[in-house]
Amino acid sequence: MNKMTVRDIEVAGKRVLVRVDFNVPVDVKTGAITDDSRIRASLPTIKYLLERKASVILMSHFGRPKGKVVDDMRLAPVAKRLSQILERPVKTTDECIGPEVEKSAKALKPGDVLLLENLRFHAEEEAGDADFAKALASLGDIYVNDAFGTSHRAHASISGIAKYLPAVAGFLLEKEINTLGGLIEKPAHPFTSLFGGAKVSDKVAILKNIMPRVNCLLIGGGMAATFLKAQSREVGTSLVENESIETAAGLLKEAEKSGVRLLLPVDAVVADELNGESKSAVVAIDAIPRTKKIADIGPKTVEIFSRELKRSKTVFWNGPMGVHEIPQFAGGTQALAKLIAGLNATTVMGGGSTAEVIDALGLADKVTFVSTGGGASLEFLGGDELPGVAALRDKK
Ligand code: ADP
Ligand code: MG
């Protein structure tokens, strides 16, 4: 990565403003944090700063309060959990800017930690408002971005604030950029990319950008139906994006021209409806009944995709192979997740649903890296420069 990190800047005795992503999942009924991995992901940066005698001011969004104060979306429970993990007090404020916050920030001593209130209680955050960014910046001496998952947004605390303070990357952001960037710049071959999920239109940029770098593209999930349609096949009542058929046809042609093996499902689990009650059946891909929908890849496809994955040195995976939320349609996704976790290869996953699948199966520590950025990782791999990364200081 050609951006400066916390290693490249003197932090002792400084107040360091760190943008983290503490948007953790909570139980809708009790409000209890159900998964604290986003908090843990920021620990390397926080601990590094504290060990070097900085005072740390953390900022995050949480939920979608849409510019208003919502009591259920206050960050106090997150501060409590962070305090338990860090084994030291974490101060909080009930605002993220203003005179009270300034007072709390000024009173911090080296080794102190303060978590500001939810940034999105102010509509100015998502609007990227310059005055709001300036008010945040006035609280510290240095800005650190460790919120990769929000770095594709030009929000005040992500790119706006970097105009007013020396701005560098945290360790999580650095790891994301180096790992995902490594896929694009110098992947070990054979490189296979596995795509699924609902829509082609979400993934066009990444498919185009990754095509010249891979040896093999495997396509399952809902998006496979649009590719099958582009080959003029019958896909029954499957989800097809009519406006993306031409794009899919173009990608098929591009693959052929550049010698990339692009493989589509050869069989599928089909059902009348995509719900748990519908009866399902496995059919060959050219025998999909007119009244049925593709709900998962079939066992033959799992076998063929597995063969390709097994001989790969680099694997990138985004998007489930079927409607994985419903157990009877989760088989293809789970089989390939387990297979990928067992590979002796660089294995990288991106995308919200994909990360959930890996976590739910307890495979997160058996793969090389699970990106914490859903949309951000897709945009980055699609070749876009992320506003939150662009705003950081270049390495000298
Ligand atoms: P990610 O979040 O990993 O990037 P996506 O958001 O692209 O993945 O896609 C996830 C969604 O795709 C899931 O909700 C899943 O139910 C849906 N999906 C997968 N296969 C199908 C299918 N055959 N038909 C309809 N939806 C599907
Ligand atoms: Mg998703």
Side-chain angles (χ1 to χ4, degrees):
M1 189 180 67
N2 63 351
K3 294 293 181 180
M4 283 170 67
T5 74
V6 284
R7 279 188 220 91
D8 304 315
I9 197 160
E10 183 56 61
V11 300
K14 301 275 170 60
R15 282 171 302 161
V16 182
L17 271 162
V18 187
R19 176 56 158 103
V20 289
D21 177 358
F22 283 172
N23 188 26
V24 291
V26 292
D27 187 297
V28 277
K29 285 208 194 96
T30 64
I33 296 168
T34 53
D35 178 1
D36 61 12
S37 41
R38 286 191 173 167
I39 301 176
R40 291 179 189 278
S42 69
L43 291 179
T45 300
I46 297 173
K47 284 187 172 160
Y48 177 93
L49 294 170
L50 294 174
E51 279 161 17
R52 278 161 188 74
K53 308 267 180 293
S55 38
V56 173
I57 305 171
L58 301 166
M59 347 177 240
S60 181
H61 69 285
F62 180 56
R64 297 177 188 272
K66 304 210 172 115
K68 284 204 288 285
V69 175
V70 179
D71 277 326
D72 285 351
M73 295 181 190
R74 290 196 177 276
L75 279 167
V78 173
K80 202 168 146 196
R81 177 66 64 92
L82 174 64
S83 169
Q84 286 162 356
I85 300 172
L86 276 178
E87 297 179 334
R88 64 165 86 205
V90 173
K91 300 184 166 76
T92 54
T93 51
D94 54 16
E95 251 294 2
C96 59
I97 55 166
E100 283 303 309
V101 184
E102 282 162 29
K103 233 172 36 198
S104 306
K106 281 223 179 74
L108 294 175
K109 299 197 185 56
D112 283 351
V113 184
L114 169 69
L115 174 59
L116 303 181
E117 188 52 278
N118 194 341
L119 295 163
R120 292 193 186 165
F121 285 176
H122 291 261
E124 293 88 342
E125 161 64 358
E126 289 181 82
D129 182 79
D131 290 332
F132 181 71
K134 218 169 175 173
L136 289 171
S138 75
L139 302 171
D141 307 305
I142 293 170
Y143 169 72
V144 175
N145 183 358
D146 217 15
F148 177 75
T150 318
S151 290
H152 57 318
R153 307 282 184 227
H155 294 171
S157 70
I158 292 288
S159 52
I161 189 171
K163 293 196 184 81
Y164 307 106
L165 290 174
V168 301
F171 294 123
L172 176 61
L173 189 99
E174 180 189 38
K175 176 111 206 258
E176 291 274 2
I177 300 289
N178 283 344
T179 310
L180 298 176
L183 291 177
I184 296 296
E185 280 153 28
K186 43 175 186 347
H189 292 279
F191 179 10
T192 297
S193 229
L194 172 65
F195 284 99
K199 294 201 218 142
V200 182
S201 52
D202 288 348
K203 315 276 165 93
V204 174
I206 185 170
L207 284 165
K208 283 192 173 151
N209 200 38
I210 218 160
M211 177 85 79
R213 283 138 177 132
V214 298
N215 306 92
C216 180
L217 264 186
L218 306 173
I219 295 182
M223 64 189 272
T226 302
F227 281 87
L228 293 166
K229 194 82 186 179
Q231 294 180 327
S232 309
R233 292 175 193 264
E234 171 66 52
V235 294
T237 56
S238 300
L239 171 85
V240 169
E241 286 173 281
N242 286 315
E243 63 289 356
S244 295
I245 293 176
E246 228 170 281
T247 308
L251 287 162
L252 288 165
K253 224 186 245 155
E254 185 58 36
E256 204 178 315
K257 225 172 58 192
S258 44
V260 170
R261 265 196 329 285
L262 192 159
L263 305 185
L264 297 174
V266 297
D267 61 350
V269 177
V270 296
D272 291 322
E273 291 303 331
L274 301 176
N275 59 38
E277 288 80 54
S278 233
K279 244 181 64 196
S280 64
V282 174
V283 298
I285 216 67
D286 51 13
I288 297 175
R290 292 192 106 97
T291 58
K292 294 193 189 288
K293 297 174 176 11
I294 300 177
D296 193 7
I297 56 173
K300 278 221 179 69
T301 305
V302 170
E303 206 181 299
I304 292 169
F305 283 11
S306 297
R307 204 183 305 147
E308 294 295 337
L309 291 164
K310 273 186 197 156
R311 63 167 174 232
S312 303
K313 290 240 164 57
T314 307
V315 171
F316 174 71
W317 179 24
N318 166 256
M321 294 293 105
V323 185
H324 67 100
E325 298 92 338
I326 299 170
Q328 60 172 325
F329 307 137
T333 303
Q334 294 190 356
L336 292 185
K338 287 175 191 158
L339 180 115
I340 290 170
L343 294 178
N344 184 14
T346 300
T347 50
V348 180
M349 341 269 116
S353 293
T354 313
E356 269 167 39
V357 169
I358 294 289
D359 278 340
L361 294 174
L363 299 174
D365 56 2
K366 303 218 160 44
V367 297
T368 307
F369 188 63
V370 182
S371 175
T372 55
S377 52
L378 298 191
E379 282 196 27
F380 180 79
L381 290 173
D384 286 347
E385 189 173 37
L386 309 181
V389 179
L392 303 176
R393 286 197 174 175
D394 290 327
K395 267 213 167 92
K396 293 197 190 87

